[in-house]
Amino acid sequence: MPDERRRLAARPGRGTVRYGGHGRGVVRTPHRRRTPTTWLAALRTARDDLGCTYFDWLSAVDEPGTGFRVAAHVVVLSPVRRLLVRTTVPHETPVLPTAVDVYAGAAWHERETHEMFGVDFEGHPGLDHLLLPESFEGHPLRKDFVLAARVAKAWPGAKEPGESDHGAPKRRQMLPQASPTRTSGAR
């Protein structure tokens, strides 16, 4: 992994590299409104210079006050080495260039991330609905998304049947199993 660190560090504007547990490298790319191309440059460097030919997954995390942290996990298959490329896009304009030109396998993952978080991937061949119906409104994995089930019916607050005042029977108490006893003599 130190060779990868030197190769990435030698290419300006490609992000910072940190190595975590299990030998996984992490590349954090800065996202500036005028230069989001560092995301693609880091992915190209991972593929072309580091040999990360396998695209594993891409997803996002909604960080309130920070933005959406988008991560792509790519792998060198022989010997196995993993690299996590991350960037952050603001909530106001969640836009990144598509990685489909670098890794064709990113198409499905970008569609899912667009649908669940609302991150737009510029240049994507088709950000069609993947998991949700066409009539669905909103992005369900955002922290500001209101769960309709909680609005329609309030959570009763009971943790186990019989703990609330509605008269349901209590759950039967479970007793620990008896430990086997040793008997003397042959069997």
Side-chain angles (χ1 to χ4, degrees):
M1 285 298 200
D3 291 338
E4 286 87 0
R5 183 185 299 207
R6 280 194 294 270
R7 280 188 270 182
L8 277 172
R11 301 192 63 164
R14 300 308 193 259
T16 58
V17 182
R18 182 177 62 84
Y19 289 88
H22 307 291
R24 182 184 322 147
V26 179
V27 178
R28 290 195 180 110
T29 63
H31 179 78
R32 298 177 198 102
R33 291 178 187 223
R34 296 191 176 122
T35 60
T37 56
T38 55
W39 168 251
L40 288 180
L43 290 172
R44 280 193 190 97
T45 300
R47 183 193 64 190
D48 299 339
D49 297 346
L50 304 179
C52 297
T53 56
Y54 181 74
F55 180 86
D56 193 12
W57 55 263
L58 180 142
S59 190
V61 176
D62 186 359
E63 297 282 342
T66 303
F68 296 102
R69 294 184 194 255
V70 180
H73 188 250
V74 293
V75 181
V76 177
L77 295 176
S78 181
V80 176
R81 293 186 315 246
R82 296 169 176 84
L83 186 68
L84 189 64
V85 181
R86 297 193 296 197
T87 191
T88 303
V89 294
H91 280 109
E92 303 80 37
T93 55
V95 179
L96 271 177
T98 184
V100 172
D101 295 335
V102 181
Y103 292 103
W108 186 90
H109 299 272
E110 287 180 352
R111 284 175 61 192
E112 181 186 30
T113 303
H114 170 72
E115 190 171 30
M116 295 294 155
F117 292 98
V119 177
D120 289 326
F121 292 93
E122 288 181 337
H124 192 280
L127 289 174
D128 301 326
H129 281 275
L130 183 66
L131 302 170
L132 300 172
E134 294 283 334
S135 60
F136 192 88
E137 293 181 14
H139 305 286
L141 293 183
R142 282 185 157 189
K143 300 275 172 112
D144 59 356
F145 185 78
V146 178
L147 295 172
R150 296 290 178 247
V151 174
K153 181 178 178 184
W155 181 253
K159 295 179 182 177
E160 297 288 333
E163 287 185 2
S164 62
D165 296 331
H166 56 75
K170 289 191 173 201
R171 186 177 290 191
R172 182 172 57 104
Q173 294 290 325
M174 299 295 293
L175 300 174
Q177 292 182 337
S179 61
T181 58
R182 293 188 177 257
T183 58
S184 60
R187 288 188 182 190

